[in-house]
Amino acid sequence: MAGLDKPRVDAHEGGLADEKYYTYNGQNVNTGVMDPERRRVVEKSLKRKLDTRCSLFVLIYIMNYLDRNNMAAARLKGLQADLQLDNTQYATCLSILYVGYILMQVPSNIFINRIARPSLYISIVMVLWGLISTLTGTVNDFKSMVVTRFFLGFVEAAFLPGALLILSKWYTRKELTTRNAILFCGNLISNAFSALIGAGVLSNMQGVLGHAAWRWLFWIEGAITMAVALSAAFILPDLPTNTRGFTEEELMVAQIRMTEDVGEADTDSAEQGVFGGFMMVVKDVKVYVMMLTFTAYVVGLSFNAFFPTLTATLNFDYVPTLLMSAPPWVFACLFSLANAWHSDRHEEKFWHIVGPICVGLVGFVISMATSNVAARYVALFLQASSYAGFIVFYSWISSSFPRPPAKRAVALAMINAFSQLGNIAGSYVWDLKEDGFRKSYGIVTAMFGVTIVGCWIIRMMLVSLNKKLDNGEGVTWATHQDVGAQTARVEGRSSDEAMRLKTQFRYLI
């Protein structure tokens, strides 16, 4: 489908709340002054189709995390011993993935923001990371494992910031947190499924065709990833101007929704260079505070990579240990959905981030304070629930850098990429020789404290910006003439009327 044609504003005698409409691809299509009842019908159809197609992101994220985190399960069935890795080398194999992950995120998101078919791009990189994951099952020493894990992270880097960017191009700020939570359920469910799949493969595949069970784990999960990748190019949405499978009226409403949400069309200016978004981001102090805060949060969440090992401290056999690792993440998924829905409903971010962090802190304290098996298992549920705030933080990033999309793309990628330093550091937080992990729990408790302070600083910065906007002192962002004209076309207003929409924007806190 072609992009949005330059519309013609004509007079119309009925059916609209105003006398402006567009001739769009040969048809009279209602704009932002569309009859409210017709608007509701079209918008409902749009969101139903969009939610259905974006649900594939959940499955992709499951495979993304399975391929990234299956080393923890493989370790319990001989990977570390077979490759003759000491604990430091094993931690290096975990952390090196994030080096590649950090390097590629910003360039990838700059690219995906500029192409017309992001669905095809995600499909291609998914095939590549599935192939690399499969090759992980063939390694025989420390060096080959490090190289394989580096390139796995390099290729996987395209998915998460890219998916977050695509969602932010379709869903308003009042809808985005819930949709991000559904996406991140793929993350949380993958923690449960990795344990279940790991239990099945590691229990039944040892010695099959002369190979260790942990090798089969990589081969099977990598093959599944490549199979799923083939469907992504046909199912995932692209942009609100060109996605196949939507009517022209639905695509117009999609653009109207995003314009009304912020007061400006969600498009980049033709005057803006390739690195224009990057230059805007590096000049915005909010980015740096969010980078540091999010990194502390990620260090606090580093127990994720060692979850089967932490469950093993309950002193069950390895299969029960893997099976018991699943329920906490299922609970965390449900808790995250409820927290995200409540955040969207009340248009609030700070307390919906800090609240789950406090729940996780209770879990850390229980794990440090007692050796009671039941109490420590309950603590794992509480710790996993702290992910709910992590999900809200991503939507806070998107809503704090709403326009232009090039800036939002770089901000999402840069903050997420920098935060992966927390995963690198987190790989060394957990001393595998320590009994009970009390020192490790102390470190992540401190990092959650830093996160709360950082979130408070961000909140105060946004409150200050909103006060300036209320007083007419602040400027949100510069609007180029071509973007202003596009806003006017989408809204069916004059340029001056369209520009006044932007003055209603306020940051979500």
Side-chain angles (χ1 to χ4, degrees):
M1 182 181 295
L4 179 64
D5 295 336
K6 184 175 181 179
R8 173 172 57 87
V9 179
D10 292 327
H12 184 59
E13 295 296 328
L16 295 175
D18 197 295
E19 291 188 347
K20 293 181 179 179
Y21 71 99
Y22 292 135
T23 298
Y24 176 60
N25 286 355
Q27 297 185 8
N28 294 336
V29 180
N30 297 343
T31 68
V33 289
M34 179 187 293
D35 176 74
E37 183 59 34
R38 179 59 183 164
R39 164 79 180 260
R40 281 193 293 270
V41 171
V42 175
E43 192 164 356
K44 182 177 180 180
S45 174
L46 166 70
K47 290 199 287 187
R48 182 177 65 250
K49 290 180 181 179
L50 189 58
D51 287 342
T52 301
R53 294 176 67 164
C54 287
S55 63
L56 183 62
F57 277 131
V58 178
L59 180 57
I60 295 175
Y61 206 2
I62 289 173
M63 301 314 304
N64 180 274
Y65 246 66
L66 284 178
D67 292 335
R68 188 189 311 178
N69 290 347
N70 47 18
M71 274 194 70
R75 175 181 175 270
L76 297 178
K77 197 60 176 177
L79 177 146
Q80 186 172 356
D82 289 353
L83 299 184
Q84 299 180 353
L85 306 178
D86 59 36
N87 288 337
T88 300
Q89 288 177 323
Y90 174 75
T92 301
C93 290
L94 290 178
S95 62
I96 194 65
L97 178 142
Y98 297 103
V99 176
Y101 197 73
I102 290 169
L103 291 175
M104 189 57 182
Q105 284 204 34
V106 172
S108 176
N109 243 32
I110 290 175
F111 178 74
I112 201 171
N113 183 60
R114 297 181 66 85
I115 60 177
R117 291 290 313 277
S119 61
L120 182 60
Y121 175 66
I122 288 179
S123 179
I124 291 172
V125 297
M126 191 176 180
V127 169
L128 291 176
W129 95 55
L131 177 61
I132 295 171
S133 180
T134 303
L135 293 175
T136 307
T138 67
V139 303
N140 293 302
D141 55 31
F142 171 65
K143 291 181 180 178
S144 55
M145 178 62 81
V146 167
V147 171
T148 304
R149 293 280 294 177
F150 171 82
F151 282 106
L152 178 63
F154 192 82
V155 177
E156 279 194 348
F159 171 68
L160 180 57
L164 292 170
L165 179 62
I166 291 172
L167 291 175
S168 72
K169 287 178 177 288
W170 287 91
Y171 291 105
T172 66
R173 294 181 299 152
K174 298 178 182 179
E175 302 166 340
L176 189 59
T177 305
T178 300
R179 269 62 182 197
N180 281 355
I182 294 172
L183 167 65
F184 274 88
C185 278
N187 176 341
L188 302 176
I189 292 172
S190 71
N191 285 290
F193 275 111
S194 64
L196 296 175
I197 293 174
V201 174
L202 296 175
S203 297
N204 299 303
M205 299 300 291
Q206 182 65 31
V208 174
L209 299 181
H211 298 295
W214 66 264
R215 295 187 184 275
W216 282 106
L217 184 64
F218 289 106
W219 294 336
I220 292 172
E221 291 182 356
I224 295 173
T225 296
M226 289 187 283
V228 172
L230 298 178
S231 64
F234 304 98
I235 297 177
L236 294 179
D238 290 308
L239 306 176
T241 56
N242 69 347
T243 299
R244 294 168 291 182
F246 294 93
T247 66
E248 294 180 350
E249 199 172 21
E250 288 167 346
L251 291 180
M252 177 61 81
V253 168
Q255 296 170 68
I256 292 170
R257 280 162 33 88
M258 299 309 297
T259 302
E260 291 174 344
D261 184 44
V262 174
E264 182 177 299
D266 193 30
T267 186
D268 291 308
S269 172
E271 304 171 16
Q272 189 174 293
V274 175
F275 298 103
F278 178 83
M279 296 308 298
M280 283 184 272
V281 165
V282 297
K283 296 175 183 178
D284 194 327
V285 68
K286 296 194 303 294
V287 171
Y288 301 103
V289 180
M290 284 189 164
M291 286 167 64
L292 295 173
T293 302
F294 209 37
T295 301
Y297 204 164
V298 170
V299 175
L301 294 171
S302 60
F303 62 84
N304 166 55
F306 296 86
F307 208 76
T309 302
L310 297 177
T311 310
T313 62
L314 303 178
N315 296 320
F316 292 93
D317 292 335
Y318 83 93
V319 172
T321 292
L322 291 177
L323 295 176
M324 290 175 68
S325 298
W329 295 111
V330 175
F331 176 79
C333 180
L334 298 175
F335 181 71
S336 296
L337 288 171
N339 186 64
W341 174 82
H342 197 264
S343 173
D344 275 343
R345 183 176 183 183
H346 294 277
E347 300 180 49
E348 199 282 335
K349 302 299 181 185
F350 174 78
W351 291 110
H352 289 85
I353 296 171
V354 172
I357 289 176
C358 291
V359 173
L361 285 172
V362 173
F364 293 161
V365 171
I366 292 174
S367 295
M368 288 187 288
T370 182
S371 58
N372 180 272
V373 173
R376 291 176 67 84
Y377 191 50
V378 169
L380 294 178
F381 282 78
L382 301 179
Q383 292 168 32
S385 297
S386 60
Y387 260 89
F390 184 74
I391 294 167
V392 176
F393 202 110
Y394 273 110
S395 68
W396 209 11
I397 298 172
S398 295
S399 65
S400 298
F401 306 96
R403 297 291 185 274
K407 181 179 181 180
R408 186 171 74 247
V410 174
L412 280 166
M414 184 175 291
I415 294 170
N416 190 62
F418 188 85
S419 73
Q420 301 312 307
L421 294 174
N423 277 316
I424 296 176
S427 299
Y428 300 94
V429 165
W430 299 90
D431 184 354
L432 298 177
K433 296 179 181 179
E434 183 184 0
D435 183 24
F437 297 103
R438 285 182 175 81
K439 180 180 177 181
S440 301
Y441 275 122
I443 295 173
V444 295
T445 297
M447 289 298 100
F448 270 7
V450 172
T451 304
I452 293 173
V453 173
C455 287
W456 180 257
I457 294 173
I458 295 167
R459 186 177 188 274
M460 291 298 98
M461 293 173 68
L462 297 179
V463 167
S464 176
L465 289 173
N466 281 343
K467 287 181 178 178
K468 290 181 179 180
L469 292 172
D470 290 339
N471 297 330
E473 302 172 3
V475 177
T476 48
W477 56 87
T479 299
H480 290 270
Q481 184 175 358
D482 56 344
V483 176
Q486 173 70 358
T487 302
R489 287 196 294 267
V490 171
E491 283 291 323
R493 303 169 184 261
S494 68
S495 296
D496 289 341
E497 290 174 330
M499 289 300 294
R500 281 197 290 270
L501 289 173
K502 183 178 171 183
T503 63
Q504 301 172 15
F505 171 82
R506 295 297 183 272
Y507 291 99
L508 299 181
I509 58 175

